[in-house]
Amino acid sequence: MKNIAVFASGRGSNFVRIYQSIAEGKIPARIRCLITDNEHAGAIDFARQKKLPVYTESPKNYAAPNLFGEALLQILKKHDTEWIVLAGYLKKIPDNVVGAYANRIVNIHPALLPSFGGSGMYGQRVHQAVYDSGAKISGVTVHLVNTEYDRGPIVMQRSVNIEDCRSPEEIAETVLRVEHIVYSEALRKLLTCDFEVSGNRVVFKPDTQ
């Protein structure tokens, strides 16, 4: 069982689904705490219902990113955190946290990276960009986090047919249903299988899958 910390900025639908998957025995992990930058995040209500420790830390309260990172690292150390799972977290992870948790920070992006990613591309902005592009296929990408937005090694992808979607909102609904499934699958593999990073992809060793 791995100790994980969940980072979320909003309602935390992926956080809820991850919690449920753990409860169902699909992910061998314990959620030790929730860290958020938003004191009004819906994820806080769920965490408190489940009696999970909640920490609100915003980078705007620190003079430099590394100081913000030090505050996060203190919380993570307190809870013996082994992995960090981002569930709709909108702030950049400080470099010193990325260094301390190299290849142990996981994120899910609601499109097929490297398309429709990068700074400022999150949530509905992604689905609007996909819709405006005229693309008929979208999807989700689970990736490890490095020091660049949405550029970390890709763990798992799943495509979604959006040919019949008539708005960015319809795309969002269609993709979200797949997000919840794929994220749990990817987390289970990362926590139970040996892997290596080759180029910009995660390669699982055949004898451990």
Side-chain angles (χ1 to χ4, degrees):
M1 299 284 280
K2 302 292 186 181
N3 292 332
I4 67 173
V6 175
F7 285 39
S9 297
R11 59 178 177 167
S13 65
N14 274 310
F15 171 35
V16 173
R17 184 56 194 149
I18 290 164
Y19 183 96
Q20 292 170 341
S21 293
I22 290 172
E24 294 165 1
K26 296 178 181 178
I27 302 174
R30 303 180 190 88
I31 298 177
R32 299 304 302 267
C33 66
L34 170 71
I35 297 177
T36 180
D37 63 296
N38 176 13
E39 62 183 2
H40 303 296
I44 293 174
D45 294 332
F46 181 77
R48 287 177 174 159
Q49 288 173 19
K50 300 304 179 182
K51 296 180 169 42
L52 295 171
V54 176
Y55 298 88
T56 303
E57 293 286 351
S58 174
K60 68 183 180 182
N61 296 329
Y62 294 87
N66 67 304
L67 298 177
F68 175 50
E70 286 297 331
L72 296 177
L73 288 170
Q74 288 181 20
I75 296 169
L76 297 169
K77 182 178 179 180
K78 177 180 178 180
H79 292 284
D80 298 319
T81 304
E82 298 170 273
W83 284 76
I84 297 170
V85 176
L86 308 186
Y89 186 69
L90 302 183
K91 301 300 181 182
K92 190 174 188 294
I93 302 297
D95 289 359
N96 50 346
V97 177
V98 174
Y101 285 85
N103 293 330
R104 289 185 292 141
I105 306 175
V106 195
N107 186 43
I108 189 165
H109 186 77
L112 295 174
L113 293 175
S115 299
F116 307 108
S119 179
M121 291 296 287
Y122 58 84
Q124 201 62 24
R125 295 182 183 185
V126 176
H127 303 302
Q128 184 69 55
V130 171
Y131 180 75
D132 290 344
S133 77
K136 295 188 176 183
I137 297 291
S138 190
V140 297
T141 302
V142 178
H143 66 95
L144 301 179
V145 172
N146 61 15
T147 57
E148 298 180 73
Y149 279 112
D150 300 327
R151 298 295 294 176
I154 291 174
V155 178
M156 186 178 293
Q157 291 183 303
R158 191 74 48 84
S159 62
V160 178
N161 189 324
I162 57 170
E163 187 169 356
D164 295 330
C165 293
R166 295 293 179 259
S167 68
E169 290 74 22
E170 286 189 21
I171 294 174
E173 292 175 6
T174 303
V175 170
L176 184 61
R177 289 193 290 269
V178 177
E179 273 189 60
H180 291 165
I181 297 169
V182 173
Y183 211 1
S184 291
E185 289 180 3
L187 289 172
R188 180 191 61 77
K189 290 192 72 172
L190 286 168
L191 298 183
T192 60
C193 300
D194 293 331
F195 67 87
E196 62 184 11
V197 174
S198 176
N200 202 48
R201 64 174 59 186
V202 171
V203 179
F204 291 97
K205 297 183 179 180
D207 58 346
T208 65
Q209 293 190 49

